[in-house]
Amino acid sequence: MPHVHSADGTVIGYDRLSDDGPALVLVGGGLDDGAENRPLGEHLADRFAVVTYRRRGRGDSGDSRPYAVGREVDDLAAVIDAAGGRAHLFGASTGGALALEAAAAGLPVDRIAVHEVPYQVDDAMVSAWQAYRRQLDVVLDAGDVDEALRLFMRLAGSTEQDIAGAEAAPVWPALRALAPTLRYDAACLGDGPPPAHRLARVRQPVLLTTGIAIDPHMTGLPVDFFGAAADAAVLADARRHTLEVEGHVADPAVLGPVVEAFLTG
């Protein structure tokens, strides 16, 4: 697998899914080692030069300390450079927040598509988010990655039955390995609400997509949680699109044509 070196020397692993067309870099969200966006990337690979990568602390990418969102922006800058020097971005969930932070920081980005960025918009969710961040720091500092995962799943609206099922599933050990990066995703979202002063610096066209309903494993979230978050993200040139599917990881056969039409528009 190819690698790039970020500004602080961290090695970042990436995959090039295709070579022809405008460059498109896919940015993964929470508990994703880069695999979650791959089906979407393969769907778009006949139209774009698609690159997907493993964010720091995931898979074969390094994890230099101390962590800072600015360092993740530098990682993405290195990947964009490897992709050809300029790129469109697609970001899923907290990866969407990171993509917007990168654009606000002035990276050479063209159009940006983000799916279900979990900004917090009502007072109860903002309070829950800030309590989660404090508790997450405590349990990760104690090395309790299992409790970190449980905290995350509860915040995301999972039931205790969902959590027990996940702990018994074969994927749990892989999630435990990724659990320390929950702190990184939390940092990308900051205090919770959309960061108006930074989003104001994003001048590129941005597509914000959400599903028609909450993911069945997120039933504890408020109704239209992601739609409200997308609507609250004030951007200079924003387009909204609601997909006729449910699920936080959207079906690439549904999401792909919408993203392609926007990026080529």
Side-chain angles (χ1 to χ4, degrees), residues 197-214:
H197 63 293
R198 292 197 299 280
L199 294 185
R201 301 176 196 153
V202 178
R203 313 310 297 177
Q204 296 91 334
V206 178
L207 173 69
L208 302 107
T209 59
T210 56
I212 197 170
I214 291 289

Side-chain angles (χ1 to χ4, degrees), residues 45-105:
D46 60 350
R47 182 63 182 82
F48 300 93
V50 178
V51 172
T52 184
Y53 75 106
R54 272 77 65 196
R55 290 170 55 191
R56 63 172 54 207
R58 310 168 196 229
D60 58 338
S61 291
D63 193 15
S64 301
R65 307 295 177 87
Y67 175 82
V69 174
R71 289 189 170 199
E72 281 230 69
V73 170
D74 289 342
D75 300 345
L76 183 48
V79 174
I80 291 172
D81 187 60
R86 291 196 67 85
H88 299 305
L89 298 180
F90 169 81
S93 191
T94 48
L98 178 57
L100 293 171
E101 292 287 347

Side-chain angles (χ1 to χ4, degrees), residues 2 29 54 57 86-87 89 92 102 107-108 112 121 172 176 186 203 219-220 237 248 251 254:
R54 272 77 65 196
R86 291 196 67 85
L89 298 180
L107 266 59
I112 306 158
V121 296
W172 192 256
R176 293 181 83 252
R203 313 310 297 177
T219 54
D237 187 359
H248 192 46
D251 182 345
V254 177

Side-chain angles (χ1 to χ4, degrees), residues 90-243:
F90 169 81
S93 191
T94 48
L98 178 57
L100 293 171
E101 292 287 347
L107 266 59
V109 171
D110 293 319
R111 293 185 169 227
I112 306 158
V114 299
H115 182 66
E116 294 198 342
V117 180
Y119 292 127
Q120 320 295 320
V121 296
D122 67 53
D123 291 343
M125 287 302 297
V126 170
S127 294
W129 170 255
Q130 294 173 355
Y132 162 77
R133 289 201 67 183
R134 292 191 295 270
Q135 293 162 356
L136 183 66
D137 282 339
V138 169
V139 299
L140 286 178
D141 287 346
D144 191 348
V145 294
D146 294 287
E147 185 60 20
L149 292 169
R150 296 183 197 108
L151 287 171
F152 172 74
M153 293 184 69
R154 291 184 188 113
L155 179 78
S158 296
T159 65
E160 293 303 315
Q161 183 177 2
D162 289 333
I163 294 170
E167 290 191 63
V171 72
W172 192 256
L175 296 178
R176 293 181 83 252
L178 292 168
T181 64
L182 288 171
R183 191 151 29 191
Y184 305 171
D185 290 286
C188 289
L189 291 172
D191 293 332
H197 63 293
R198 292 197 299 280
L199 294 185
R201 301 176 196 153
V202 178
R203 313 310 297 177
Q204 296 91 334
V206 178
L207 173 69
L208 302 107
T209 59
T210 56
I212 197 170
I214 291 289
D215 189 296
H217 297 295
M218 297 179 165
T219 54
L221 290 176
V223 174
D224 200 31
F225 170 81
F226 292 108
D231 292 339
V234 178
L235 294 150
D237 187 359
R239 330 284 170 87
R240 279 281 285 115
H241 188 95
T242 302
L243 304 172

Side-chain angles (χ1 to χ4, degrees), residues 11-39:
V11 174
I12 302 296
Y14 72 96
D15 294 311
R16 190 182 297 275
L17 304 187
S18 51
D19 295 311
D20 297 327
L24 169 60
V25 176
L26 309 182
V27 187
L31 298 179
D32 176 27
D33 64 358
E36 194 171 275
N37 280 332
R38 193 176 186 95

